[in-house]
């Protein structure tokens, strides 16, 4: 099994261009924002561009592409206009993903802005139940969060509660972001097996569909969200070696959201991770 690993790539120049960029750094997958990360509208799909991306997927050069919702999307907001944007953008993205050769759609569950996590979770499931449908082909991923501010998803039990309230739970999975969960207090550097056991007990490892690999600029349990290059933060390279070679994780798709001076520098991180796999 070849490691499935890729960077976050901009689709500003189209999907085919994004695919070429990903391949150029030794990736066999990539993540992209479905629209400007700060929200806004989307351009119409260009059928030729979509076809070129589909060719890369059909040939096996790329697998498990991950679309990321804009991070301003907040289903748990108390502002009805904010929730309405979330509802419309999410539904529109899901419809486009039926056309794109992309099976995973990740989003940040949201921030309850003082209403309390239970109220926030109720608002999230309410919208998910409106915008998802029974035979959709995309799996929606709840991203585990660091717990900054009033973020929901800092605790595996909050992810579980969203899944429990979802009508189409068979189409819902989880994306674990290493920076976020380490910052939230899950010690993947010192006790990876214990964290995975807890995840399995609370959510179920069958729900784990992707991981974001990021080191953290801030200390363990800081509840901050500051990504760092692998090996240059508080998590450390040894932890990433253990993650990408772990029997329960090594077949999952991994995505880098690390800060790089130049896009080309992703090649170095990808090469290091692929070497861990070969040594194993
Ligand atoms: Fe994210
Ligand atoms: Fe992430
Ligand atoms: Zn983050």
């Amino acid at each position: 099994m070849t490691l499935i690993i890729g960077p976050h790539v901009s689709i500003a120049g189209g999907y085919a261009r994004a695919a070429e960029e990903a391949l150029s750094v030794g990736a066999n997958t990539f993540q992209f924002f479905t629209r400007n990360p700060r929200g806004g509208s989307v351009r119409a799909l260009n059928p030729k561009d979509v076809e070129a991306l589909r060719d890369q997927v059909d040939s096996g050069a790329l697998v498990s592409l991950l679309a990321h919702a804009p991070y301003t999307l907040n289903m748990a907001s108390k502002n009805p206009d904010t929730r309405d944007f979330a509802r419309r953008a999410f539904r529109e993205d899901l419809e486009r993903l039926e056309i794109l050769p992309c099976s995973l759609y990740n989003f940040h569950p949201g921030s309850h802005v003082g209403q309390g996590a239970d109220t926030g979770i109720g608002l999230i499931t309410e919208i998910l139940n409106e915008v998802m449908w029974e035979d959709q082909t995309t799996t929606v991923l709840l991203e585990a969060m660091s717990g900054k501010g009033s973020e929901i998803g800092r605790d595996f039990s909050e992810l579980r509660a969203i899944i429990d309230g979802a009508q189409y739970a068979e189409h819902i999975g989880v994306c674990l972001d290493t920076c976020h969960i380490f910052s939230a207090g899950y010690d993947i550097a010192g006790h990876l097996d214990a964290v995975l056991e807890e995840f399995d007990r609370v959510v179920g490892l069958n729900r784990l569909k992707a991981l974001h690999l990021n080191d953290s600029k801030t200390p363990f349990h800081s509840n901050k969200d500051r990504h760092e290059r692998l090996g240059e933060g508080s998590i450390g390279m040894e932890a990433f070696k253990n993650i990408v070679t772990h029997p329960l994780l090594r077949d999952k798709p991994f995505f880098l959201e690390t800060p790089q001076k130049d896009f080309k520098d992703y090649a170095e991180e990808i090469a290091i991770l692929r070497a861990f796999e070969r040594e194993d």
Side-chain angles (χ1 to χ4, degrees), residues 68 108 143 177 180 212 214 227 257:
H68 193 309
H108 296 178
E143 182 166 355
D177 182 309
H180 297 178
H212 285 165
N214 303 304
H227 300 187
E257 301 174 311

Side-chain angles (χ1 to χ4, degrees), residues 50-90:
V50 174
E51 213 38 58
L53 179 63
R54 188 177 299 282
D55 286 346
Q56 299 281 19
V57 173
D58 288 348
S59 75
L62 293 171
V63 292
S64 303
L65 303 185
L66 175 58
H68 193 309
Y71 49 70
T72 47
L73 188 148
N74 185 10
M75 293 184 182
S77 172
K78 46 174 138 187
N79 181 335
D81 292 337
T82 305
R83 285 204 307 281
D84 196 50
F85 167 76
R87 187 182 286 114
R88 283 184 294 108
F90 202 96

